[in-house]
Amino acid sequence: MIIQRKIDKEALQDFPKATFPGKIHVVQTPQEAERAVAYLKQCPLVGIDSETRPSFSKGKPHKVALLQVSSDEHCFLFRLNLTGLTLPVIQLLESPHVTKIGLSLKDDFMMLHKRAPFEAHAYIELQEYVRAFGIEDKSLQKIYGILFGEKISKTQRLTNWEADTLTEPQKLYAATDAWACLNIYRRLQELKQSGDFEIADKDNPN
């Protein structure tokens, strides 16, 4: 496989859409959070992301509303605006046994710290990890496009993540983002082990 260093937005438009193929679970109570974490603690690798209700007024930021944590088959959407950052979720974020893979994790953790203090352990920041493979783009959309030839839709990003009920498109968008992080890492691990890749030449990307 030839890995492109960068991809332009126009090229992404023609790609087929990537969507999370597994089961999505909306977690709205502390009890549900506890059960979800019990499952996730058995996973050696998970993808992670968060969503915050957009603020259209200056100086009125919202706290993170949703934390998405995904295995290959199941994605859990923790509605933090309803439950807060519960102890089981904090234990998951702090667990050295579950590797959390995400993009811009520093920002996610900074937002999550506004809900409760915790010390994140065992995480992989994809923006740094992809550098070893020659990828210079930093966005999830572009990294995914380079590696899979598929696009991740961003149409739901600025929707209300604190709505009484999340819509199906919101759920799928949120789950896809967390799962895509896991998928990217797995693909890069495969390429690393097989050695079956070349980084596109800087002067001649084709």
Side-chain angles (χ1 to χ4, degrees), residues 92-106:
L92 178 68
L93 293 169
E94 293 189 332
S95 171
H97 308 296
V98 182
T99 301
K100 280 75 67 178
I101 299 148
L103 198 100
S104 304
L105 281 174
K106 207 172 174 182

Side-chain angles (χ1 to χ4, degrees), residues 17-206:
K17 204 167 149 187
T19 50
F20 174 61
K23 196 164 174 19
I24 300 170
H25 310 264
V26 180
V27 179
Q28 305 194 109
T29 68
Q31 293 79 11
E32 288 172 351
E34 203 169 336
R35 285 198 296 273
V37 170
Y39 165 81
L40 290 164
K41 275 187 168 174
Q42 298 168 38
C43 304
L45 297 171
V46 294
I48 188 170
D49 192 27
S50 70
E51 304 298 337
T52 302
R53 179 182 175 179
S55 177
F56 301 108
S57 315
K58 208 177 174 186
K60 281 195 173 180
H62 297 286
K63 285 185 178 176
V64 59
L66 198 71
L67 175 68
Q68 308 100 274
V69 188
S70 182
S71 69
D72 292 311
E73 296 89 19
H74 297 273
C75 185
F76 297 88
L77 309 182
F78 294 90
R79 299 208 67 192
L80 304 184
N81 59 308
L82 301 179
T83 63
L85 201 56
T86 61
L87 186 59
V89 177
I90 289 171
Q91 287 169 342
L92 178 68
L93 293 169
E94 293 189 332
S95 171
H97 308 296
V98 182
T99 301
K100 280 75 67 178
I101 299 148
L103 198 100
S104 304
L105 281 174
K106 207 172 174 182
D107 296 338
D108 284 331
F109 292 153
M110 190 178 71
M111 291 296 288
L112 288 165
H113 280 144
K114 290 177 182 172
R115 287 213 171 264
F118 64 90
E119 272 189 54
H121 292 289
Y123 67 91
I124 290 168
E125 171 53 69
L126 285 176
Q127 287 183 336
E128 290 166 17
Y129 193 78
V130 299
R131 280 191 208 148
F133 298 85
I135 297 172
E136 294 170 10
D137 275 322
K138 295 278 187 277
S139 77
L140 184 69
Q141 232 185 356
K142 289 188 170 184
I143 294 168
Y144 204 87
I146 287 168
L147 289 171
F148 292 94
E150 294 178 341
K151 70 175 171 197
I152 292 173
S153 166
K154 288 283 160 194
T155 53
Q156 297 298 311
R157 189 166 67 89
L158 294 177
T159 55
N160 180 9
W161 295 102
E162 293 179 14
D164 291 344
T165 307
L166 295 178
T167 65
E168 291 305 317
Q170 275 182 311
K171 287 187 228 174
L172 193 56
Y173 166 88
T176 299
D177 267 12
W179 165 78
C181 291
L182 181 59
N183 226 15
I184 286 168
Y185 180 73
R186 284 203 193 285
R187 170 61 60 93
L188 293 174
Q189 286 295 90
E190 283 168 17
L191 293 173
K192 193 176 174 180
Q193 281 162 10
S194 68
D196 188 21
F197 71 93
E198 282 175 47
I199 297 166
D201 188 70
K202 263 196 170 170
D203 302 319
N204 179 18
N206 300 314

